[in-house]
Amino acid sequence: MLLKNTYNELIKIAAKPRTYISFIAITVLVGIILFAMKVDGPSYISFITASFEQTLAFEGTIMNGHLMAFIILQMLIVQIPLLVALVTGDLISGEAAMGSIRMLLTKPISRTQILLSKYFAGLIYTFFILLWLGFMSVVVGKWMFGLGDLIVLNSDGLVIVGGNDINWRFLGGFAVAFFALTTVATLSLLLSCFSENSIGPIVSTMSIIILFTIIGTLDVPVFDNIRPFLFTTHMAAWRSFFDDPLPVADIKQSLLVLFTHIVVFLSIALYKFNKKDILS
Amino acid sequence: MEKIVEINHLVKNYGKFKAVKDVNFHVNRGDVYGFLGPNGAGKSTTIRCMLSLIKPSSGSIQIFGKELSQNRNEILSKIGCIVEKPDFYKYLSAEKNLEIFGRISGADVSKKNCHKILDFVGLAGREKDKVSGFSHGMKQRLGIAQALIHNPELIVLDEPTTGLDPQGIIDIRHLILRLKNEQNKTVLLSSHILSEIELIANRMVIINKGMTVVEGDVKELLNQDELIVVFETPQVQQALSLLSNIKGIEKLSDNQFQLVLAKNEIAQINAQLVNNGIEISGIETKRKLEDYFLKLIQS
């Protein structure tokens, strides 16, 4: 029954016009960034590398597809949670607003299975969003700008990743990003269980992300103890895959924090949804 | 008679507000059962409890001889329902909606079966149309289709004629009678319109303020020998003096009084009044239950 309803949920997601907003948004945004880089990329790159040019000599093409993909990911990974919440925040509350939840919950399938099937469908949607972002940034980026070594500017300095050492790092980065977006999807699903309109959970999800991000970036000692436990702190963990050497312990720590959030959010969502009186 | 629904001392509280205080009734297999009550009586809350949409505060709900709270999925697999108005996925076609609800009901969701059901409810030719373009009556028919797709034993329809035009009401009524007559389904039908229940139900319960008022056979409850008879006359005081020995006589206004009489006594009382020089300008009869129900609605 779980599989049958997951299939149902995918049909619903695929039929909703709002689903395609995300794909269109990614296409347009990445298109604009790639176009801008194609036209004005060298001056942008020289601005970044100016401080190193006196001590380092760069050979080959710095502005290659790998760098484009990295820049795009860095720019867009902040906006993707909104695109995820747009659909996952609507999974329960949208049905409540439409009234179809009454019909759905009178069918011989448990509420736990209904929620989980919606969750799985939401994760599949999230995966496809990320896949599309990956395709647009990595594949189209490489096609437009060619291959080469990736130069990443970290807080510790410059990291140069060899061209043949990059693909697995992108794969790892996307896997961690998927984990981070799963946390966002779970949070918006949880908020969706408390709401009877679609907008509330979407806005609430983004508000929480913004609030936690501000707390996480404010260099105030009072937040020092909280910061490591905020999921937003670990949403950029994908970037660790472009450090050398690979900070395995940090990545594991981030995954653990994100996983804990996923489990807690999902448990509360299941509890709330199972207890909920359907009055709409 | 096999009882397929048995509700005992059902209570549902929302904080301090008691939506359902003490509802009791049972539905036999093959009944078209009328669930009657004025707006706010607790009908929808009771139905939502029966369908596990809300959890009762106390009381027991047994359906097909099993406790609902412990056998939810098994029981729901044998029930088809519409709760209040049927709301569908507007961006999907009628056929796709039916397929979605049928799939999780364990039904055969082949095109052939979906089309057969849509044909039965009068939606043939509209299978591919999006629900967003459907009228309320068409959504109601589609609601009945989704309630029927898994061939349930019990069909629960919560106010299925609300918001329909007269022709729509007749169509839904015929559809319910076809379910009973052609498919031998048990139907529980809630309504706040007594005449609607009288036309199609064989048994009924009336609830008010969250409590069962009366339950029984529709014919027995409505075709009682005793009738409430309202006489219209400019000489109300004289008439009251003349008939003072009759129990339950009551002045309604300056030109109306009422009393409870058997059918065959009406002509006799009328003759008595006329013979005593009391001019009768009108006689109106009401069944006791109908009168009671009208008062409930008006209050």
Side-chain angles (χ1 to χ4, degrees):
Chain A
M1 200 55 94
L2 190 66
L3 282 178
K4 281 182 180 178
N5 202 47
T6 305
Y7 179 61
N8 273 351
E9 293 304 327
L10 288 173
I11 291 176
K12 290 182 215 168
I13 289 176
K16 272 187 208 169
R18 71 167 59 191
T19 301
Y20 300 97
I21 292 174
S22 310
F23 292 95
I24 294 167
I26 289 172
T27 310
V28 171
L29 286 169
V30 174
I32 288 171
I33 295 167
L34 289 176
F35 171 76
M37 285 297 171
K38 193 79 183 170
V39 174
D40 217 10
S43 56
Y44 174 76
I45 297 298
S46 64
F47 173 74
I48 295 171
T49 55
S51 56
F52 299 99
E53 278 170 356
Q54 288 173 339
T55 48
L56 288 170
F58 295 103
E59 275 185 35
T61 319
I62 298 173
M63 210 181 72
N64 54 47
H66 293 134
L67 183 67
M68 289 307 114
F70 187 84
I71 290 171
I72 288 167
L73 284 185
Q74 185 124 309
M75 283 180 173
L76 292 191
I77 212 78
V78 187
Q79 344 293 342
I80 301 296
L82 173 64
L83 302 180
V84 169
L86 201 63
V87 166
T88 52
D90 186 54
L91 287 172
I92 301 291
S93 58
E95 298 253 11
M98 246 191 308
S100 51
I101 198 158
R102 290 194 302 271
M103 217 112 76
L104 191 63
L105 296 188
T106 54
K107 301 298 171 197
I109 169 172
S110 71
R111 289 192 182 193
T112 299
Q113 283 183 320
I114 287 178
L115 190 84
L116 288 179
S117 53
K118 283 182 175 291
Y119 183 56
F120 293 146
L123 293 190
I124 292 170
Y125 160 80
T126 306
F127 175 77
F128 275 102
I129 289 252
L130 213 51
L131 197 66
W132 185 241
L133 180 67
F135 173 79
M136 288 298 293
S137 57
V138 180
V139 179
V140 177
K142 280 182 183 180
W143 173 69
M144 282 179 72
F145 293 87
L147 304 175
D149 292 346
L150 173 65
I151 297 178
V152 178
L153 180 62
N154 279 343
S155 52
D156 298 337
L158 273 183
V159 176
I160 300 169
V161 185
N164 52 0
D165 193 30
I166 290 178
N167 285 340
W168 71 270
R169 290 178 188 268
F170 271 116
L171 268 178
F174 273 105
V176 173
F178 178 69
F179 219 68
L181 291 178
T182 297
T183 314
V184 174
T186 319
L187 172 65
S188 59
L189 183 79
L190 164 65
L191 296 170
S192 188
C193 292
F194 287 89
S195 176
E196 306 237 319
N197 67 72
S198 310
I199 303 300
I202 299 165
V203 173
S204 308
T205 303
M206 288 317 292
S207 304
I208 290 171
I209 291 174
I210 292 166
L211 177 73
F212 283 9
T213 306
I214 290 170
I215 292 173
T217 48
L218 270 180
D219 201 11
V220 180
V222 72
F223 295 133
D224 284 354
N225 293 331
I226 313 170
R227 201 170 294 126
F229 302 104
L230 299 176
F231 70 90
T232 44
T233 309
H234 302 275
M235 281 182 68
W238 65 274
R239 237 177 157 276
S240 303
F241 273 88
F242 296 92
D243 284 349
D244 204 26
L246 196 68
V248 177
D250 290 351
I251 292 172
K252 277 185 182 171
Q253 174 70 19
S254 291
L255 289 178
L256 182 69
V257 172
L258 292 172
F259 181 72
T260 308
H261 276 86
I262 290 170
V263 171
V264 171
F265 290 160
L266 190 59
S267 303
I268 300 171
L270 281 168
Y271 177 79
K272 172 66 186 168
F273 191 58
N274 273 294
K275 291 276 173 196
K276 189 175 184 171
D277 278 344
I278 305 301
L279 304 171
S280 61
Chain B
M1 275 290 182
E2 183 198 351
K3 289 179 186 174
I4 65 169
V5 177
E6 220 177 335
I7 310 282
N8 288 310
H9 305 295
L10 187 71
V11 176
K12 176 64 189 177
N13 303 324
Y14 295 109
K16 284 182 182 173
F17 174 68
K18 294 178 190 300
V20 173
K21 292 172 191 163
D22 185 17
V23 167
N24 301 276
F25 66 90
H26 72 270
V27 181
N28 296 326
R29 187 174 288 279
D31 277 348
V32 172
Y33 192 88
F35 189 44
L36 201 63
N39 290 330
K43 299 188 298 293
S44 287
T45 305
T46 304
I47 285 180
R48 282 169 191 252
C49 286
M50 279 178 64
L51 298 168
S52 84
L53 286 173
I54 55 181
K55 288 194 170 54
S57 303
S58 65
S60 104
I61 300 173
Q62 288 206 339
I63 303 179
F64 306 115
K66 291 179 176 174
E67 195 61 41
L68 176 68
S69 56
Q70 279 137 40
N71 303 276
R72 179 189 178 274
N73 288 358
E74 187 192 338
I75 289 170
L76 290 181
S77 69
K78 297 180 201 169
I79 298 180
C81 62
I82 302 177
V83 183
E84 292 185 10
K85 58 186 171 60
D87 289 302
F88 290 95
Y89 306 108
K90 295 180 182 78
Y91 45 86
L92 293 174
S93 67
E95 188 184 24
K96 214 65 179 165
N97 268 287
L98 202 53
E99 187 190 312
I100 280 178
F101 288 114
R103 186 173 290 118
I104 49 171
S105 303
D108 166 16
V109 290
S110 63
K111 267 195 181 356
K112 192 183 161 194
N113 195 42
C114 288
H115 287 204
K116 194 178 111 191
I117 304 280
L118 288 170
D119 187 34
F120 179 78
V121 298
L123 285 176
R126 307 300 300 264
E127 298 90 351
K128 303 280 180 201
D129 292 358
K130 282 193 178 174
V131 172
S132 55
F134 276 21
S135 67
H136 181 57
M138 288 165 76
K139 282 184 197 161
Q140 207 62 268
R141 286 161 184 270
L142 185 58
I144 294 179
Q146 69 76 33
L148 293 178
I149 191 162
H150 56 298
N151 194 24
E153 293 175 36
L154 170 67
I155 295 158
V156 179
L157 303 173
D158 186 11
E159 310 247 7
T161 56
T162 302
L164 295 182
D165 59 25
Q167 187 56 48
I169 293 172
I170 292 168
D171 290 346
I172 294 292
R173 194 185 298 148
H174 285 167
L175 210 55
I176 294 167
L177 288 172
R178 279 181 70 195
L179 289 173
K180 154 108 180 130
N181 299 331
E182 293 173 19
Q183 302 191 8
N184 201 28
K185 303 284 186 202
T186 305
V187 181
L188 188 148
L189 172 75
S190 89
S191 178
H192 61 276
I193 304 165
L194 180 64
S195 58
E196 189 175 280
I197 295 293
E198 191 183 358
L199 280 170
I200 46 178
N202 62 309
R203 293 184 64 246
M204 70 174 190
V205 62
I206 295 181
I207 69 164
N208 186 40
K209 292 178 182 167
M211 292 196 287
T212 299
V213 176
V214 63
E215 187 195 12
D217 189 275
V218 172
K219 282 183 184 157
E220 279 176 20
L221 289 173
L222 292 176
N223 292 324
Q224 294 172 107
D225 286 337
E226 285 191 327
L227 294 169
I228 293 171
V229 187
V230 178
F231 284 90
E232 212 172 299
T233 171
Q235 298 143 282
V236 170
Q237 217 47 55
Q238 282 170 264
L240 290 177
S241 312
L242 183 69
L243 303 174
S244 59
N245 58 333
I246 295 180
K247 203 178 169 186
I249 191 161
E250 190 186 338
K251 183 182 173 182
L252 296 179
S253 65
D254 287 343
N255 60 353
Q256 275 188 329
F257 71 94
Q258 74 170 32
L259 64 171
V260 179
L261 294 172
K263 249 184 191 170
N264 57 3
E265 289 173 329
I266 300 172
Q268 190 189 325
I269 295 296
N270 186 35
Q272 191 183 343
L273 290 166
V274 173
N275 290 342
N276 282 279
I278 298 170
E279 186 188 323
I280 302 297
S281 53
I283 301 175
E284 188 192 338
T285 60
K286 287 187 278 186
R287 290 167 300 186
K288 274 175 86 176
L289 193 69
E290 189 179 6
D291 184 61
Y292 171 76
F293 189 69
L294 278 173
K295 279 179 183 159
L296 278 186
I297 296 214
Q298 281 156 7
S299 69

